[in-house]
């Protein structure tokens, strides 16, 4: 089939990663086509909680910490630009986070966290039980105390990918929604385009950023690319309806969290389940999250559940994203697991540099690699829990 469209860069995947890449490249004057099989931002980017933070940075490799810090620094300007250019406010807010202290292990971990944060020049302080309850009266009175991380921020993540795609389109990008990528067009060993349900798209460079589905684009037959060893990690979420101000901080306890929105709604989550491509909401998942809500904030246990959903995060064996060249003409930007919202701005910068042929960062820890290579390296990150 002859190419129906021609561009400099074709981006496969319209989640927050793909949309951020398209927006960044088109600002440089590149002709960009963004290809999304459903609605822009309709999968994991919509289902997330919008935390702009690595909640447990002391468990991260230094390579990730550098990306985290750079990306967090990019978010304020990006959020301001999006509202100025599209009218879409992603509501970037530094609400801070309270990590609850309930056990001896929590006590020891809080000391470790405070020491780590202060060593890195970041704000952190321990609160007594009374101090924590003064800040958040809805917290369980049985807590011992809390760790306050005042600088941690959030966005309304479901607005982010559509805003990025809209900004890209305003600058001339082509956005193809409800268009599936069926495979890649190759000439003389180089990828030169994408086969889609709407015709071929010729491109100087192709970027695959389709989240957990990235590995299946290769053949169009649901056969994973071995250089993209991705696993879907399901996360179930609940949306609670409460009065504005019912919760002022994000709350974290035992890996579960509450995220308050400006309108009073509260996101409660999230599970991490390896059950394939199943996005169903289960009674067990709802019960687990509901129990966590009651344990953290008993007064919110009766809050009406307005909605529930599940998304599929793209995970890798070492929980690190995959960033780099798969083969000539084809780049990968996927595998962000639970950090896609946070890392979208820096991922866009990385892809821009790769498209330009620049090596501005050491991407060796994130290079596409086989399953066996990941297994050999996994001891470097074993035990690190992504937040």
């Amino acid at each position: 089939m002859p190419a129906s469209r021609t561009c400099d860069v074709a981006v496969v995947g319209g989640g927050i990663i793909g949309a951020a890449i398209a927006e960044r490249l088109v600002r440089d004057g590149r002709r960009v086509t963004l290809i999304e099989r459903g609605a822009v931002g309709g999968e994991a980017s919509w289902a997330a909680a919008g935390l702009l933070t690595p909640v447990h940075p002391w468990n991260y490799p230094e390579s990730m910490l550098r990306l985290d810090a750079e990306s967090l620094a990019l978010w304020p300007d990006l959020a301001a630009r999006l509202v100025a250019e599209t009218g879409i406010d992603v509501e970037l807010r530094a609400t801070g986070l309270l990590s609850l202290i309930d056990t001896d292990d929590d006590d020891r971990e809080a000391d470790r966290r405070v020491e780590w944060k202060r060593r890195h020049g970041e704000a952190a302080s321990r609160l007594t039980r009374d101090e924590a309850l003064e800040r958040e009266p809805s917290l369980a009175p049985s807590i011992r105390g809390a760790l306050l991380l005042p600088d941690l921020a959030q966005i309304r993540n479901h607005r982010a990918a559509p805003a990025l795609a809209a900004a890209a389109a305003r600058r001339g990008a082509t956005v193809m929604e409800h268009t599936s990528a069926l495979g890649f067009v190759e000439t003389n060993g180089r990828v030169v385009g994408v086969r889609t349900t709407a015709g071929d798209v010729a491109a100087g460079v192709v970027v695959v950023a389709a989240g957990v589905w990235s590995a299946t684009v290769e053949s169009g037959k649901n056969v994973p690319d071995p250089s993209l060893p991705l696993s879907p990690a399901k996360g179930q979420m609940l949306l609670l309806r409460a009065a504005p101000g019912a919760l002022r901080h994000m709350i974290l306890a035992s890996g579960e969290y509450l995220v308050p929105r400006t309108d009073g709604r509260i996101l409660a989550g999230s599970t991490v389940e390896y059950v394939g491509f199943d996005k169903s909401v289960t009674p067990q998942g709802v019960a687990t999250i509901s129990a966590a809500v009651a344990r953290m904030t008993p007064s919110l246990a009766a809050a009406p559940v307005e909605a529930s959903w599940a998304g599929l995060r793209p995970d890798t064996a070492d929980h690190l994203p995959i960033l780099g060249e798969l083969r000539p003409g084809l780049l990968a930007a996927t595998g962000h697991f639970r950090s896609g919202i946070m890392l979208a701005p820096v991922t866009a910068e990385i892809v821009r540099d790769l498209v330009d042929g620049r090596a501005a960062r050491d991407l060796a820890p994130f290079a596409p690699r086989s399953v066996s290579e990941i297994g050999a390296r996994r001891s470097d990150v074993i035990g690190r829990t992504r937040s």
Side-chain angles (χ1 to χ4, degrees):
M1 179 185 297
S4 57
R5 294 173 179 81
T6 301
C7 59
D8 298 322
V9 183
V11 181
V12 179
I16 191 169
I17 298 296
I21 291 167
E23 190 271 344
R24 184 65 190 89
L25 291 173
V26 79
R27 278 195 285 123
D28 274 357
R30 301 274 184 175
R31 294 175 302 156
V32 178
T33 298
L34 179 64
I35 303 164
E36 166 54 43
R37 69 187 187 115
V40 164
E43 291 287 351
S45 301
W46 183 91
L51 280 72
L52 295 186
T53 173
V55 179
H56 301 297
W58 39 88
N59 291 331
Y60 284 47
E62 285 299 322
S63 54
M64 273 296 293
L65 292 179
R66 288 191 292 271
L67 291 193
D68 292 338
E70 184 177 352
S71 205
L72 291 172
L74 292 170
W75 257 112
D77 284 347
L78 176 57
R81 185 168 63 252
L82 290 177
V83 73
E85 294 186 8
T86 70
I88 300 174
D89 185 2
V90 299
E91 289 188 16
L92 171 61
R93 297 187 300 138
T95 51
L97 181 142
L98 289 173
S99 182
L100 304 187
I101 299 172
D102 290 313
T103 67
D104 290 342
D105 285 343
D106 291 341
D107 251 324
R108 288 187 288 270
E109 183 70 4
D111 287 338
R112 181 180 172 218
R113 294 177 185 183
V114 169
E115 188 276 332
W116 189 96
K117 295 288 270 186
R118 289 178 178 171
R119 180 158 40 90
H120 286 77
E122 300 176 16
S125 59
R126 289 187 58 132
L127 304 180
T128 65
R129 169 189 172 278
D130 290 344
E131 289 170 336
L133 290 172
E134 183 177 356
R135 285 179 173 271
E136 288 290 359
S138 62
L139 292 177
S142 59
I143 64 171
R144 297 186 185 182
L147 176 66
L148 172 62
L149 307 175
D151 299 334
L152 301 194
Q154 59 164 291
I155 63 165
R156 295 293 286 266
N157 51 281
H158 68 281
R159 299 177 183 174
L164 287 160
R170 285 173 61 90
R171 292 177 178 267
T174 298
V175 179
M176 301 172 64
E177 292 186 290
H178 306 289
T179 303
S180 295
L182 303 176
F184 303 114
V185 181
E186 292 194 44
T187 300
N188 298 323
R190 181 179 179 86
V191 172
V192 294
V194 184
R195 292 190 176 92
T196 83
T197 50
D200 288 2
V201 177
V205 178
V206 176
V207 182
V208 59
V212 74
W213 292 275
S214 296
T216 63
V217 176
E218 176 72 31
S219 66
K221 298 178 181 178
N222 206 36
V223 178
D225 183 334
S227 61
L228 289 175
L230 298 165
S231 300
K234 182 168 82 169
Q236 299 188 51
M237 299 279 290
L238 301 181
L239 180 65
L240 310 179
R241 187 169 67 249
L247 205 62
R248 290 172 288 187
H249 302 74
M250 297 179 284
I251 309 297
L252 175 71
S254 301
E256 290 133 342
Y257 53 78
L258 302 174
V259 180
R261 302 305 201 197
T262 54
D263 58 11
R265 291 177 172 86
I266 297 170
L267 285 174
S270 172
T271 64
V272 180
E273 306 166 63
Y274 294 91
V275 291
F277 287 82
D278 171 21
K279 293 198 298 178
S280 62
V281 175
T282 65
Q284 181 181 2
V286 171
T288 296
I289 298 170
S290 297
V293 173
R295 189 170 61 251
M296 290 186 277
T297 54
S299 63
L300 294 175
V305 177
E306 189 169 295
S308 59
W309 61 83
L312 300 178
R313 314 171 185 95
D315 195 12
T316 63
D318 58 7
H319 306 312
L320 299 182
I322 300 172
L323 305 168
E325 185 180 72
L326 290 170
R327 59 183 187 276
L330 182 62
L331 305 177
T334 187
H336 292 74
F337 191 31
R338 304 182 80 173
S339 298
I341 304 297
M342 180 179 65
L343 290 177
V346 74
T347 300
E349 295 291 332
I350 288 169
V351 171
R352 189 275 303 267
D353 289 344
L354 291 170
V355 169
D356 289 346
R358 293 186 289 182
R361 301 166 187 81
D362 176 15
L363 297 181
F366 315 108
R369 51 214 183 264
S370 69
V371 175
S372 60
E373 287 173 323
I374 289 176
R377 289 158 33 92
R378 196 173 184 186
S379 61
D380 294 336
V381 292
I382 195 73
R384 295 187 173 106
T385 303
R386 300 303 309 279
S387 55

